[in-house]
Amino acid sequence: GQQLNQSPQSMFIQEGEDVSMNCTSSSIFNTWLWYKQEPGEGPVLLIALYKAGELTSNGRLTAQFGITRKDSFLNISASIPSDVGIYFCAGRGGSEKLVFGKGTKLTVNP
Amino acid sequence: EAGVAQSPRYKIIEKRQSVAFWCNPISGHATLYWYQQILGQGPKLLIQFQNNGVVDDSQLPKDRFSAERLKGVDSTLKIQPAKLEDSAVYLCASSLEAGGANEQFFGPGTRLTVL
């Protein structure tokens, strides 16, 4: 079945630093999504990407849909303490089923 | 607009017992999903409903898990009997329709601990 490799697994950064995380897939996806999950809550959608090469921003967050359709990255600029959480990539291929990565746990030191 | 509601938020049971989770999707959302999220992993789809019909239950362990959405609104997910490896957060999500740009909105989840 489809698998997503998300890296890094965890990150420890200082407030104000930029962050970058990425996902790669063994197969082609038609949609890439990035979610954030905080303790005790469900994932919240941050950015949705629907076309290869698409670059989309949401405030300090920027994500791109890779040209090969097998990868995506998420950047967070000028991190703040409330950026703490687990970030998940998710992809959707021909089956329409959403496949999630294992997450990147972000810790921001003030 | 109210989000996806789930109850209970936490449940602790012993192995071989039964448990049920309830989900109320966002009003008007035709598609409902149940996911299992094991600690340290991303959510894994268990079952997808379109209105009251099952679209995909290929990853549902049907020998012990069952789900229904009888009136096309609320849904329940049941585990009978539970095993230790069923300890996880069970997330419900809903979307207006399936696929396309109809993205999923998640509830807070039910954290199940099987002892």
Side-chain angles (χ1 to χ4, degrees):
Chain A
Q2 295 172 317
Q3 292 186 347
L4 290 184
N5 294 312
Q6 185 171 350
S7 64
Q9 188 173 356
S10 62
M11 302 183 74
F12 298 84
I13 63 171
Q14 293 296 124
E15 183 177 358
E17 289 183 354
D18 296 344
V19 170
S20 184
M21 58 192 78
N22 70 84
C23 266
T24 58
S25 167
S26 57
S27 55
I28 289 173
F29 283 134
N30 299 320
T31 301
W32 280 99
L33 306 170
W34 285 91
Y35 286 86
K36 178 186 178 186
Q37 187 174 28
E38 297 185 23
E41 299 297 328
V44 173
L45 182 64
L46 299 174
I47 292 181
L49 303 158
Y50 300 108
K51 290 175 58 176
E54 181 179 358
L55 183 71
T56 297
S57 293
N58 178 8
R60 293 178 296 106
L61 278 61
T62 301
Q64 184 159 30
F65 192 141
I67 290 292
T68 65
R69 295 168 63 193
K70 291 185 177 182
D71 64 312
S72 177
F73 72 75
L74 174 71
N75 287 340
I76 305 173
S77 63
S79 59
I80 58 178
S82 61
D83 289 334
V84 165
I86 302 177
Y87 292 79
F88 290 97
C89 63
R92 186 162 56 223
S95 72
E96 296 293 334
K97 183 162 58 183
L98 207 54
V99 178
F100 283 80
K102 292 187 177 182
T104 295
K105 185 175 182 179
L106 179 63
T107 302
V108 180
N109 296 315
Chain B
E1 179 181 87
V4 177
Q6 290 188 248
S7 67
R9 292 296 310 274
Y10 305 91
K11 191 73 176 178
I12 301 174
I13 62 173
E14 294 187 349
K15 60 183 179 183
R16 291 188 288 274
Q17 286 187 324
S18 302
V19 65
F21 312 126
W22 173 82
C23 172
N24 185 13
I26 293 173
S27 177
H29 281 196
T31 310
L32 185 146
Y33 312 79
W34 283 102
Y35 287 85
Q36 180 192 59
Q37 185 176 22
I38 292 173
L39 186 65
Q41 304 285 324
K44 184 185 85 170
L45 180 69
L46 292 176
I47 189 167
Q48 176 184 340
F49 290 94
Q50 180 72 18
N51 295 309
N52 61 350
V54 176
V55 174
D56 183 350
D57 63 357
S58 58
Q59 298 188 107
L60 186 73
K62 298 180 187 64
D63 57 333
R64 298 183 301 105
F65 286 64
S66 65
E68 60 183 15
R69 194 185 184 200
L70 294 176
K71 296 183 179 179
V73 181
D74 294 6
S75 177
T76 56
L77 176 69
K78 297 179 182 178
I79 308 175
Q80 179 180 9
K83 293 185 175 181
L84 296 177
E85 59 261 36
D86 297 333
S87 294
V89 174
Y90 291 84
L91 294 163
C92 179
S94 70
S95 62
L96 274 172
E97 296 291 340
N102 295 293
E103 299 313 335
Q104 301 175 26
F105 295 86
F106 285 82
T110 296
R111 180 177 295 277
L112 174 67
T113 302
V114 182
L115 303 175

